[in-house]
Amino acid sequence: MNDDRVTKIADVTVNEIFQDALFFQVLYEITVRMDNCEAVVTADRFLKLQSVVFMSELMKYLDEKHIELGIGAEKNEFVRRLNEERNDNGIKYSPIGSDRMKNIIEDMGISWESSCYDINLVVKDNNVINMNIEDYGIKPDEFWTNILIIAKSASDGALATVSSKITTEVFLEYGKEKIIENSKRLENYLSGTRYSYSSCVLFSKAKDLTVEDKVFIMYRYRLIYLAYAFLNSLEGMLVQIGTVGTNTYHIEFDMKSYVRKHVAMVCEMIHIDLDKLETLHTPFKKALQKDIDNQIGEKSFFPLNRKLRNNLHYSLGTTPLSKKELNLIDKYQPIYIECILKQCQRKMTVNINEDVKEATEFLRMLAKKKK
């Protein structure tokens, strides 16, 4: 690089925004290279919901800096929708004790006592990958298209601070090989087949679960499983753009940094839910807490994880963590996530037999006729 350029954006918060904005473009490229439709659906849903978090925090930051994003007269409606999605479907929402959750269960016809095909499971080798309860009532519209376009503009703007010649497209082209590798690994975790299933059968062997325990498992399962998949599949990218010499630019996209922060957010969301289950004194929560206490040997992990999670809030500034602190987080995040995932999986009974396959095909054909 030329001496008058820098390889990393100096301002810590701006660099955080740069990394987060670029992540959406990289994950989009990872997603479009997948072949399994269920893997694409799961990754796409995550991408859109996380973009709500990113854009709401970015707009707060830009407002404080008196910088316009160019949304114009539609800005107020866009911000209103951002806040609505963030509160109703995003990081501010907890399904435990929620009237909205009760309405979803009623509308979907979910029955805990009688066997009926009331939910969808995405399954591979009798292991659950995804459930459809979190998606209920969410419909694609212009908002979701626009939010990804704006995220791309933000990443272009961040790249322009390094070089006016580097766009998101240029970065992605030079990083194509790593993107393909990440895509194959993540798809392997998210691929599966969708079946109609019974929530009653799903929890038929877990007699000690309360309704709220079941709600937690069904609604949060995808969130937990995705965190597990990201921790085990995504790697960072160091992209060299140009030829060796004065026109070479080293753009380091730290995928691990984003995954670490995302998992920190997931841990905090789960912590809020578990606190609510604690007040209900559920056996599931007690067993899970005992497992967590046994496996998380360093209790400073939890405040450090919360500190990292707070770096979501650009307007509050970004707090760097030491290498020692990050190493501790890296050690215990996978343990925490896997601990919760395994406890959820132990409570579920999944048996994709011929009856399930026939019912799935019948209901699929029925849905096509209604269209």
Side-chain angles (χ1 to χ4, degrees):
M1 274 182 92
N2 294 337
D3 290 338
D4 61 342
R5 296 188 182 275
V6 291
T7 56
K8 289 188 178 180
I9 301 170
D11 184 275
V12 175
T13 300
V14 175
N15 187 56
E16 191 85 9
I17 294 171
F18 165 59
Q19 292 284 334
D20 290 355
L22 203 52
F23 170 81
F24 291 110
Q25 306 311 313
V26 171
L27 186 59
Y28 177 79
E29 291 298 314
I30 287 173
T31 301
V32 297
R33 284 173 167 78
M34 294 178 179
D35 295 318
N36 182 270
C37 63
E38 294 300 344
V40 172
V41 167
T42 302
D44 180 70
R45 186 73 192 118
F46 166 82
L47 184 63
K48 289 174 177 176
L49 288 178
Q50 282 302 110
S51 63
V52 168
V53 178
F54 168 67
M55 287 306 305
S56 60
E57 294 296 340
L58 178 62
M59 294 190 74
K60 287 178 188 176
Y61 177 80
L62 294 179
D63 279 347
E64 289 187 1
K65 300 294 182 181
H66 305 292
I67 299 172
E68 287 295 329
L69 256 182
I71 300 176
E74 299 176 357
K75 177 181 176 182
N76 289 340
E77 174 57 23
F78 184 73
V79 172
R80 183 200 67 77
R81 182 68 184 277
L82 273 177
N83 291 332
E84 179 183 289
E85 294 294 340
R86 182 185 176 96
N87 295 334
D88 294 346
N89 300 308
I91 64 174
K92 293 290 186 180
Y93 176 71
S94 172
I96 309 303
S98 161
D99 289 337
R100 174 173 168 267
M101 193 70 243
K102 292 175 184 176
N103 291 334
I104 289 174
I105 289 171
E106 184 176 342
D107 289 348
M108 290 182 68
I110 288 176
S111 172
W112 310 119
E113 289 80 29
S114 58
S115 179
C116 58
Y117 291 98
D118 51 9
I119 58 172
N120 284 179
L121 300 182
V122 176
V123 177
K124 180 167 68 176
D125 300 328
N126 273 345
N127 291 314
V128 177
I129 307 297
N130 192 7
M131 302 188 202
N132 68 326
I133 190 170
E134 189 182 352
D135 293 331
Y136 186 80
I138 300 176
K139 298 178 181 179
D141 59 18
E142 189 178 355
F143 170 79
W144 294 115
T145 301
N146 288 340
I147 202 169
L148 294 179
I149 292 172
I150 295 169
K152 179 188 178 302
S153 297
S155 64
D156 279 341
L159 280 167
T161 66
V162 179
S163 168
S164 59
K165 296 179 181 180
I166 301 176
T167 63
T168 304
E169 285 79 7
V170 171
F171 174 85
L172 294 173
E173 181 62 28
Y174 275 84
K176 183 190 295 185
E177 185 176 331
K178 197 69 176 179
I179 288 172
I180 292 172
E181 290 175 10
N182 277 315
S183 180
K184 289 178 180 178
R185 280 194 298 269
L186 183 59
E187 182 175 17
N188 185 52
Y189 278 92
L190 303 185
S191 294
T193 304
R194 184 175 293 263
Y195 296 100
S196 296
Y197 207 71
S198 165
S199 52
C200 175
V201 173
L202 185 68
F203 298 116
S204 58
K205 295 181 181 179
K207 303 300 183 182
D208 60 333
L209 291 182
T210 68
V211 170
E212 294 298 350
D213 292 331
K214 295 173 185 178
V215 165
F216 170 80
I217 293 171
M218 291 176 69
Y219 193 86
R220 290 304 191 201
Y221 188 85
R222 178 170 63 192
L223 185 76
I224 299 163
Y225 184 83
L226 262 171
Y228 170 78
F230 282 2
L231 284 166
N232 287 280
S233 63
L234 298 183
E235 294 182 355
M237 297 163 58
L238 177 59
V239 179
Q240 178 176 292
I241 300 176
T243 56
V244 176
T246 56
N247 293 321
T248 303
Y249 302 92
H250 296 282
I251 308 298
E252 184 174 355
F253 171 55
D254 188 0
M255 181 78 85
K256 185 177 181 63
S257 177
Y258 182 88
V259 170
R260 185 190 290 125
K261 186 169 69 170
H262 167 67
V263 175
M265 182 191 73
V266 172
C267 291
E268 288 304 302
M269 292 170 69
I270 297 303
H271 180 73
I272 291 171
D273 289 346
L274 294 182
D275 273 354
K276 291 187 176 184
L277 290 178
E278 177 74 35
T279 63
L280 300 174
H281 307 292
T282 73
F284 172 75
K285 168 57 172 68
K286 291 178 181 177
L288 180 54
Q289 191 61 56
K290 183 179 179 180
D291 202 9
I292 292 171
D293 290 342
N294 288 338
Q295 295 198 44
I296 307 294
E298 183 60 67
K299 300 310 175 187
S300 61
F301 160 71
F302 296 102
L304 281 176
N305 189 77
R306 193 169 302 113
K307 182 179 178 182
L308 175 62
R309 178 263 184 198
N310 289 339
N311 282 344
L312 288 169
H313 306 303
Y314 308 131
S315 59
L316 301 179
T318 299
T319 304
L321 278 75
S322 69
K323 186 175 181 179
K324 182 179 178 181
E325 290 173 325
L326 292 176
N327 286 341
L328 190 141
I329 289 173
D330 289 343
K331 177 181 178 180
Y332 286 112
Q333 274 189 346
I335 293 173
Y336 184 80
I337 291 296
E338 194 165 345
C339 174
I340 298 170
L341 181 65
K342 286 183 176 179
Q343 282 284 354
C344 292
Q345 290 172 336
R346 289 188 191 112
K347 296 298 181 180
M348 296 189 292
T349 299
V350 180
N351 181 21
I352 307 301
N353 54 31
E354 288 304 314
D355 288 343
V356 170
K357 293 176 182 177
E358 289 175 7
T360 299
E361 188 57 31
F362 173 75
L363 292 170
R364 186 178 290 128
M365 291 173 61
L366 196 63
K368 284 183 179 179
K369 288 183 178 181
K370 287 183 178 180
K371 289 183 178 179

